[in-house]
Amino acid sequence: MGLIEDQKLAKEAVHVIGILYGGGSLHIKNAIENEFLERLATSESPASLRKHLACFPKEMRSIYMKTILEN
């Protein structure tokens, strides 16, 4: 797989996570925050933050920023 394919898969994954988060229960939302967003946030750098935020649905951008600030 090339970089373009990897980026497309990543965008699709983030889109699905956004759908699950938006319609999920509190348990689902906590799981996404703790298992996905927290792990992504731990490897975040200033150079990649803007790029990553652009991939997230608008509703999840503030959640991701909150996760970064809490960790």
Side-chain angles (χ1 to χ4, degrees):
M1 263 193 196
L3 182 62
I4 302 296
E5 291 85 13
D6 289 345
Q7 289 175 339
K8 286 180 183 179
L9 285 174
K11 279 191 169 194
E12 286 179 32
V14 169
H15 178 72
V16 170
I17 288 169
I19 291 170
L20 292 171
Y21 191 91
S25 66
L26 184 57
H27 180 73
I28 297 292
K29 290 179 180 183
N30 285 335
I32 289 171
E33 288 176 21
N34 294 333
E35 297 300 324
F36 177 73
L37 296 179
E38 187 175 312
R39 291 175 194 251
L40 185 61
T42 58
S43 63
E44 192 64 77
S45 71
S48 63
L49 180 59
R50 185 183 307 246
K51 181 178 161 186
H52 289 159
L53 283 177
C55 293
F56 281 104
K58 290 181 182 181
E59 305 79 30
M60 289 199 63
R61 292 176 188 168
S62 62
I63 304 298
Y64 183 56
M65 291 301 296
K66 180 187 87 158
T67 303
I68 291 173
L69 293 172
E70 288 177 351
N71 296 305

